[in-house]
Amino acid sequence: MPGDYPPCAGQAVSGGHNDSVTMGSAARGGSLLWRAGSRVGKLLASSALVGPLLGLSAHAGPAAASKAGLSVSTVEVMQLAMFVGVMGAALVSAIFLIRERARTSAQNVELRARLADVNAALQRSEALLNLRGQRVVVWTSENKKPELVGTLPVESGAPEDRAAFLAFGRWLMPRSAAALENAVAGLREKAKPFDLVIESQAGAPLEVHGRKSAAHVVVRFVSLSETQRSEARLKIENQRLAADYDTMLGLLNALSMPAWLRTANGRLKWVNRAYAKAVEAENAEAAVRDAKEFLGGQAREAIAAQHKSHPVFEQALSTVIEGDRRMFAVTDFAGADGSAGLACDTSAIETIRNEYERTVRSHADTLDQLNTAVAIFDTDEKLRFFNQAFQKLWGLDSGFLHSAPDNALLLDRLRSEGKIAEQPEWRRWKESLLGAYRAVESQEHWWHLPDGKTIRVVANPQPKGGVTWVFENLTEKMDLESRYQTAVRVQGETLDNLAEGVAVFGPDGRLRLSNPAFAALWGLDADAARPNVHVSTIRDLCDRRATDSPWRGFVAAITGFDDERRDRHGQTELNNGTVLRYAMIPLPNGQVMMTFVDVTDSVNVERALKDKNEALEKSDQLKNEFVQHVSYELRSPLTNIIGFTELLSLPSTGPLSQKQREYVEHVGSSSAVLLTIVNDILDLATVDAGIMELDISEVHVDRTIAAAAELVADRLEEHAIRLKIDAATAPKTFHGDEIRIRQILYNLLSNAANYAPEASTITLACRSLAEGVEFSVHDDGPGMPPDLLDSVFRRFEPRTNGGRRRGAGLGLSIVKSFVELHGGSVRIETGKDKGTTVICAFPDTPSGIRAAAE
């Protein structure tokens, strides 16, 4: 019996090798049988041991027992007890073994039945997994390769090879492959299950299900039936449409143009951020929730009315955004289940278009008012614009001109109607004329028309193509020039036969015309009185022939401004005793006419009175010479003082104490001031003596202003005064004596710095005038009272009036003298708490002149 247990246990174990549950049950049964057999074996072993012991005791007899130290009765009792015990134990063991074997047999039967059921379930599962139409991928752990069970149909496009199948991107569509890889990664890493419908590159749809258990990750691919395929294709198409829908909504949301979607009943369903911003909503959801409308009620009604007959609405509509009315190009499309709209802000474009149209109309109106004919042709040489003067010049029909004829046709018509002169080679002449459309620079032509007109034709190419033609009728101008020349010749003949000397000078001081009597009275050569000779040259020649020459006054009047251009009358006596009476008459065109009459006989009566006048003039001359002499005599010692003071200040001369250095600096500054006064006195004496000459040349305004500003920079810096220069409208150059103009600006700035408050600003401005240039210096000082304005230009009358320094009172006198030497004028604008502005105006005389000062 014990030998029957191992086969049963072995069968149980071998029968359950395919299932873990069956194997566990069989193992427990075999272990139980093994424990029972071990107990029985122990009992039998003990029984086999007792038998020999009993036999040994029986054969040994009393002697042996006595040797063992036991009595006979005692031994028998022990033998009997041992036998009984052995038998009882055997009986108990037999009963226990019978019961244990019966229980083990029942357990084995039960285990065999369960093992058979498990084997059947396993075979069914393998059969189901191996069905064609699905494939399972199983991952048992992160480090092991996945197992693949089952196959998919060939038409699905799924490869049989394990590695090729797991490379989803090779046999699936890109979007499906990406979605599947993301889903598998989420399943393995985060245990996130998924159900997808994917599409192979062969166009077959597949269902994919992913699940994760405690020890396995399973992804199952299932091929679909035809109905399921249609449903799967619809799902795939829905996924595509959903993705495209999200993309379109994202694009619309990123646009800066308001966009919206509406339901079939016209309610807002979705708007973008630009729409929400336009209606001043917190966000797009709030705009939809509150039904905030972008367009007004009339605009929405017009859109709804249009949709009844046409699904697309396109029109420019206005609405109010942030308080401003703006124009939007609105496009709205109506479908079966709703509508969608988009609005593009065209306010800026409309503004520019309107401005352009107004500018074009303004230019057209302006050109229509011109007497010069203008015609504009486009890049195709078509006539696009013409003014009234053009139509009047050529006498063409208005309908023909408005038909936009090309330039060649217009020339041919003018030729056929005999309105332009016939050319020897007409084709070549016309091609040369039309070459203006390919030219870069403007072209000029002269046309002599058959009716006697002379036309100046200018072809001006436009930057964007086309040509603007300008036809200037110079017939009247040339006729007037001819008549003018005739009048000049008649006038010349008349003047040549007069007994009075006549000379006409232009505003530039040059001789325009003279008669022979003028040269004869003054004893001049014919070359000396030729046209374009400057008045200074004639003055030098005439001064030699007259004791008291009036030409100094003539020069100032001829080259001066309007305040000196007035009628003058007087007389002068030449060295030969001839007495001439003169008259100076300003002409309307800026010229000056002088006449001279010989009145020697009538003047002799007035000798006595004239002697007295000469005595007075001599005394004045002595005064000027004295001042000039004293000024020259003072210059030399002042120069020595300044020189030695500078030598004392040098370190090489020797060290000086602080007090000595201050004394030396004081001596130097005082000497410089004294030298300035002496120079001013000398300049005034030179002016009064009439020997100063201005070196007229081209004066650079920026350079002259900078030089004058540099001379007073230290003085301005000492009192923290800023100098502001305003020369934005000033000319680059004008004609004058640059040194004297620099001295004028220096005196004006020095005078302003003397009266300007601490840390204030002095403004030096220059601007262009119609007949010259104007300089002005303004300071924010206390201003001048009205009673000082009459004496401000007087010499040696210093005025403190709140100034820091008290000078010799020559600064403004020198300014006035030098400005008037240039033929200019000086004026002062001042008032209490308004500061003072000194304004100097200079004429723009031609360059290369040396004008004699009075």
Side-chain angles (χ1 to χ4, degrees), residues 359-390:
T359 303
V360 171
R361 288 195 299 269
S362 176
H363 287 177
D365 294 340
T366 303
L367 292 176
D368 273 338
Q369 302 302 319
L370 295 179
N371 292 326
T372 302
V374 178
I376 300 176
F377 292 80
D378 59 12
T379 54
D380 298 328
E381 302 183 13
K382 298 289 186 180
L383 179 62
R384 295 306 177 190
F385 172 82
F386 62 93
N387 63 353
Q388 296 179 2
F390 178 83

Side-chain angles (χ1 to χ4, degrees), residues 503-716:
V504 178
F505 291 88
D508 56 354
R510 295 186 176 275
L511 183 64
R512 290 289 184 264
L513 60 91
S514 65
N515 61 352
F518 170 75
L521 290 175
W522 285 97
L524 301 178
D525 297 335
D527 293 338
R530 68 183 183 277
N532 288 328
V533 175
H534 196 266
V535 65
S536 61
T537 303
I538 298 177
R539 179 207 60 189
D540 295 339
L541 296 174
C542 293
D543 285 347
R544 302 172 188 174
R545 295 166 171 78
T547 304
D548 185 16
S549 176
W551 283 93
R552 294 184 181 89
F554 296 164
V555 171
I558 292 171
T559 60
F561 277 113
D562 292 338
D563 57 346
E564 296 190 12
R565 290 175 52 81
R566 60 182 182 274
D567 293 350
R568 294 187 180 184
H569 301 274
Q571 65 184 22
T572 183
E573 184 177 357
L574 304 183
N575 295 334
N576 58 6
T578 303
V579 178
L580 299 179
R581 185 177 298 276
Y582 61 84
M584 180 178 292
I585 303 172
L587 300 179
N589 56 358
Q591 298 179 350
V592 176
M593 181 180 69
M594 293 187 298
T595 61
F596 300 90
V597 180
D598 187 356
V599 292
T600 305
D601 296 336
S602 61
V603 171
N604 291 330
V605 181
E606 302 173 0
R607 289 294 182 182
L609 295 175
K610 194 170 185 179
D611 292 338
K612 294 180 181 180
N613 292 334
E614 289 178 356
L616 293 175
E617 291 178 0
K618 287 181 180 180
S619 63
D620 186 66
Q621 184 176 1
L622 288 174
K623 181 200 71 172
N624 294 335
E625 290 176 356
F626 171 77
V627 173
Q628 183 178 0
H629 178 72
V630 171
S631 300
Y632 274 112
E633 291 299 324
L634 288 174
R635 259 188 172 179
S636 179
L638 278 176
T639 304
N640 294 333
I641 293 172
I642 294 173
F644 285 111
T645 303
E646 292 177 353
L647 288 176
L648 288 175
S649 301
L650 295 176
S652 59
T653 306
L656 296 175
S657 65
Q658 182 64 29
K659 201 67 174 179
Q660 291 172 340
R661 188 172 299 279
E662 291 177 1
Y663 290 157
V664 169
E665 291 177 356
H666 184 69
V667 171
S669 60
S670 299
S671 301
V673 172
L674 183 56
L675 181 60
T676 302
I677 295 173
V678 172
N679 289 334
D680 292 342
I681 294 174
L682 181 59
D683 289 338
L684 289 174
T686 306
V687 171
D688 292 339
I691 60 176
M692 176 176 286
E693 290 186 350
L694 297 180
D695 187 8
I696 302 298
S697 62
E698 191 173 19
V699 180
H700 294 270
V701 174
D702 293 340
R703 185 174 63 192
T704 304
I705 291 176
E710 185 178 0
L711 294 175
V712 297
D714 294 337
R715 188 170 177 183
L716 296 178

Side-chain angles (χ1 to χ4, degrees), residues 38-49 86 89-90 92-94 97:
S38 297
R39 294 177 181 176
V40 174
K42 290 179 180 179
L43 292 175
L44 292 178
S46 62
S47 300
L49 180 61
V86 169
V92 172
S93 298
L97 289 175

Side-chain angles (χ1 to χ4, degrees), residues 179-200:
L180 179 59
E181 289 178 355
N182 293 333
V184 171
L187 176 65
R188 297 185 65 184
E189 296 174 1
K190 301 179 181 179
K192 184 178 180 180
F194 66 88
D195 295 289
L196 294 176
V197 176
I198 60 175
E199 184 179 9
S200 67

Side-chain angles (χ1 to χ4, degrees), residues 839-853:
I839 303 171
C840 301
F842 297 87
D844 188 12
T845 57
S847 60
I849 301 176
R850 297 183 59 85

